[in-house]
Amino acid sequence: MTLYISREASKLWKRLWAEISTEINLLAENWKYLLAGLIFQYIHGLAARSVHYFHRPGPLLQDIGFYLLPELGPERSYISETLFTFVFLSFFLWTFHPFILKSKRIYTVLIWCRVLAFLCASQFLRIITFYSTQLPGPNYHCREGSERATLPRPENLIEAFIIVPRGIIYGCGDLIFSSHMIFTLVFVRAYNKYGARRFIKLCSWLIAVAQSLLIIASRKHYTVDVVVAWYTVNLVVFFVDKKLPELPDRTSGAATQLLPLSTKEKEVRNKEENHKLINGNSGDPIDWRQRTQMNGKILDEANPGPAHAGMNGVL
């Protein structure tokens, strides 16, 4: 028993060390993108904090979601935050699962580069939207009579740039569209594309719907904030994803081509690719079949076209 545990622990450590080495190499190449994404998270928080200075409480707007969904009340408003925390932590842990589990379909550094790109693009649109028009906040601490509904001017520069904890928990004015739904939908879309469990994919969409309803029932956002988030975030992810290079499946041999190369290795690979192209073969290792060129078209050997046709259609 002791020998078995020792052997398995040794395998786990080797796998963990191999993953760490690979991710460090990827981090050395992509740290600028990760840093830029994290900095923008602070900028987004700062923008949401600063718009609170312009917020003016007023009567709640007519909202169909408020009529259809029962109000949870301030004592049960934590339910939506609990579900959001579960979504965030479960996705965060899933992105690090290659360090422990044997099923390796993603690189942690690369998946977070992609996720941060989706978040930043969506949050940029959100900043423009909630700065354009400030609506009276429906949340309980944003209503008339609440001390937190209006934010006094900062006494110094340091106070203006501090966004935690009150700037995150007790914000008002940053309504259209929901930041919670941005994170939820980006995480759900990312897992649906790179995850492996079909049941979890289905559950993730159900959780996103439940999160939407709970946000409205908690009166943290108007229904329009959630509706706009649904189609805006999905469209942003769709178009940004098409512009980004595709992430490889780690189960394929092509995944190793994503690792950083030295200058000498890059030169060798470029020479090999040029040699393959000159000889009529593409750089794709699964496409190294002999090809025949006829009338300016490159045809596969398996489908060379009409064998009886000449250059001008004459035998």
Side-chain angles (χ1 to χ4, degrees):
M1 185 66 179
T2 304
L3 181 61
Y4 174 78
I5 295 176
S6 177
R7 185 170 61 252
E8 290 300 318
S10 177
K11 291 181 180 178
L12 179 61
W13 170 249
K14 290 180 180 179
R15 184 164 63 247
L16 182 62
W17 178 249
E19 290 297 322
I20 292 175
S21 301
T22 302
E23 295 291 345
I24 288 176
N25 290 333
L26 292 173
L27 182 61
E29 269 203 352
N30 299 279
W31 67 270
K32 295 180 181 179
Y33 304 112
L34 290 174
L35 181 61
L38 293 176
I39 290 176
F40 194 84
Q41 296 308 300
Y42 173 75
I43 294 175
H44 171 257
L46 193 64
R49 169 73 170 175
S50 60
V51 79
H52 194 170
Y53 292 111
F54 304 101
H55 177 257
R56 295 295 179 267
L60 296 183
L61 305 179
Q62 291 188 5
D63 192 284
I64 188 172
F66 291 179
Y67 287 112
L68 297 178
L69 296 175
E71 189 172 354
L72 291 179
E75 66 278 358
R76 290 188 296 271
S77 60
Y78 69 90
I79 298 177
S80 64
E81 290 298 326
T82 302
L83 182 60
F84 175 75
T85 303
F86 168 76
V87 172
F88 187 93
L89 291 179
S90 59
F91 180 81
F92 180 84
L93 294 176
W94 171 76
T95 60
F96 285 90
H97 82 275
F99 287 85
I100 305 298
L101 303 181
K102 294 182 180 180
S103 57
K104 306 169 184 177
R105 295 176 59 89
I106 61 170
Y107 292 99
T108 302
V109 170
L110 298 182
I111 196 70
W112 275 108
C113 286
R114 208 172 194 85
V115 167
L116 286 172
F118 300 150
L119 291 176
C120 292
S122 301
Q123 290 166 340
F124 177 75
L125 296 177
R126 180 175 187 261
I127 292 173
I128 295 176
T129 307
F130 67 62
Y131 259 111
S132 300
T133 303
Q134 289 83 47
L135 304 178
N139 210 334
Y140 303 105
H141 64 268
C142 298
R143 300 179 183 180
E144 291 181 306
S146 174
E147 296 180 356
R148 299 191 178 96
T150 57
L151 197 64
R153 302 297 179 183
E155 298 179 357
N156 51 64
L157 192 62
I158 298 178
E159 182 181 347
F161 284 91
I162 296 177
I163 62 175
V164 291
R166 291 188 176 182
I168 297 177
I169 301 176
Y170 298 110
C172 297
D174 57 325
L175 292 176
I176 302 176
F177 41 95
S178 171
S179 178
H180 283 59
M181 290 308 302
I182 290 178
F183 281 91
T184 301
L185 291 173
V186 167
F187 292 164
V188 169
R189 297 258 330 197
Y191 184 81
N192 272 261
K193 184 170 184 179
Y194 300 108
R197 305 289 183 179
R198 184 177 299 180
F199 176 75
I200 298 180
K201 293 179 182 181
L202 175 61
C203 289
S204 66
W205 285 113
L206 296 177
I207 290 175
V209 173
Q211 178 73 67
S212 304
L213 299 177
L214 286 173
I215 288 175
I216 299 172
S218 300
R219 303 301 188 256
K220 295 180 178 179
H221 280 278
Y222 292 107
T223 304
V224 65
D225 305 337
V226 175
V227 172
V228 171
W230 267 92
Y231 62 74
T232 302
V233 176
N234 279 291
L235 287 173
V236 166
V237 172
F238 175 77
F239 286 107
V240 173
D241 189 55
K242 293 179 66 175
K243 297 296 183 181
L244 296 176
E246 186 55 68
L247 293 185
D249 189 339
R250 295 191 61 175
T251 57
S252 65
T256 57
Q257 298 178 5
L258 205 64
L259 296 178
L261 300 175
S262 64
T263 304
K264 184 176 180 180
E265 289 174 329
K266 289 180 179 179
E267 292 177 355
V268 172
R269 175 167 291 179
N270 290 334
K271 291 180 180 179
E272 291 177 351
E273 296 296 331
N274 292 334
H275 180 71
K276 293 168 187 174
L277 293 174
I278 291 173
N279 289 311
N281 293 332
S282 69
D284 191 350
I286 65 173
D287 202 25
W288 289 350
R289 295 168 293 178
Q290 184 66 30
R291 294 173 179 266
T292 306
Q293 187 168 353
M294 296 179 62
N295 296 332
K297 296 182 179 180
I298 299 177
L299 304 175
D300 292 342
E301 186 181 15
N303 186 23
H308 60 276
M311 294 295 293
N312 297 316
V314 181
L315 289 176

